[in-house]
Amino acid sequence: IQLTQSPSSLSASVGDRVTITCRASQDIRSYLAWYQQKLGKAPKFLIYAASTLQSGVPSRFSGSGSGTDFTLTISSLQPEDSATYYCQQILSYPLTFGGGTKVEIK
Amino acid sequence: EVLLVESGGGLVQPGGSLRLSCAASGFTLSDHYMDWVRQAPGKGLEWVGRTKDKAESYTTEYAASVKGRFTISRDGSENSLYLQMNSLKTEDTAVYYCVRVDCSGGNCYNKPFDVWGPGTMVAVSS
């Protein structure tokens, strides 16, 4: 199952609403997770089942979608949100990730 | 505190072998699916393989790119996970992450990776 993320990168200002999309090559129901990776660090788990926030993740992060189209939204971008974001399908093997979206702060 | 710490990375020649270790603490390894994920320099994340939990007899799954060359195993007495890498190729150069699958509710199936180690670098070059 291929996952296509868009855009591959974006630049936005603090306080902006940011949306990242992830499209699956086939129906994956809600078996999608999102991760955040800051420069030089391991990824961090953000969202599961397309929309369930992991404990401790700020509420400005949200996820939605099912089937083949998914979105990750940051409602009010903060400086610490500068990172690369990856979607992952966990429906079937091989588990696959999207290509990533790099979010920069203007 | 739940922690994963990888070790064993380094420089190896093409065709060589390397064994990575992952020391787990703060949880019982046998209760979780455990995976390896890698990231080539400047690239995205690639799933390498999985060992399921004790209830599923620690069966394994692998990415096509490593099947037949890499083997995932566990040592329950030491709460450790291993990745044996043989016949290494230059394209195996990457940071390798040990990851835990979220098995909350006693179910690991179709669950995300909730804990990641800091990673260990493997460079395959002559």
Side-chain angles (χ1 to χ4, degrees):
Chain A
I1 299 172
Q2 294 180 358
L3 297 178
T4 303
Q5 282 184 239
S6 61
S8 56
S9 66
L10 64 91
S11 181
S13 300
V14 172
D16 282 354
R17 182 182 182 88
V18 168
T19 298
I20 298 167
T21 66
C22 178
R23 176 163 289 175
S25 60
Q26 62 189 71
D27 184 355
I28 59 170
R29 289 176 271 171
S30 293
Y31 292 117
L32 188 98
W34 289 97
Y35 302 88
Q36 174 195 64
Q37 185 179 31
K38 295 186 178 181
L39 195 62
K41 300 293 186 182
K44 173 188 170 185
F45 172 40
L46 292 180
I47 289 172
Y48 162 60
S51 60
T52 302
L53 225 60
Q54 170 69 338
S55 175
V57 174
S59 59
R60 62 180 180 274
F61 289 92
S62 65
S64 65
S66 67
T68 60
D69 293 312
F70 302 85
T71 60
L72 172 69
T73 299
I74 308 172
S75 61
S76 178
L77 191 67
Q78 299 301 303
E80 60 267 31
D81 300 335
S82 177
T84 300
Y85 294 84
Y86 293 93
C87 57
Q88 179 204 23
Q89 67 83 14
I90 46 178
L91 174 66
S92 64
Y93 301 111
L95 305 182
T96 49
F97 293 89
T101 296
K102 186 174 183 179
V103 174
E104 295 179 328
I105 310 296
K106 280 182 186 174
Chain B
E1 184 185 7
V2 173
L3 279 178
L4 297 171
V5 180
E6 305 91 341
S7 61
L11 176 63
V12 61
Q13 291 189 337
S17 297
L18 206 59
R19 188 175 88 148
L20 305 183
S21 300
C22 172
S25 58
F27 70 101
T28 303
L29 198 68
S30 60
D31 291 342
H32 286 262
Y33 290 12
M34 295 296 297
D35 291 35
W36 288 93
V37 173
R38 69 184 180 183
Q39 186 170 35
K43 302 297 184 182
L45 302 169
E46 180 187 14
W47 177 75
V48 172
R50 162 172 291 178
T51 170
K52 296 181 181 178
D53 60 0
K54 184 177 180 180
E56 296 196 54
S57 304
Y58 304 128
T59 53
T60 53
E61 302 281 351
Y62 297 96
S65 58
V66 307
K67 195 169 186 179
R69 299 189 299 124
F70 289 12
T71 302
I72 298 173
S73 62
R74 298 170 179 249
D75 182 334
S77 63
E78 295 187 355
N79 222 36
S80 292
L81 180 74
Y82 303 101
L83 179 66
Q84 177 67 43
M85 303 185 294
N86 297 331
S87 303
L88 282 161
K89 305 175 182 180
T90 55
E91 52 264 40
D92 294 320
T93 294
V95 174
Y96 284 74
Y97 296 103
C98 170
V99 299
R100 188 184 83 164
V101 176
D102 172 18
C103 294
S104 55
N107 171 28
C108 302
Y109 201 64
N110 296 137
K111 290 287 191 68
F113 302 152
D114 64 348
V115 181
W116 295 65
T120 187
M121 181 69 202
V122 172
V124 184
S125 174
S126 53

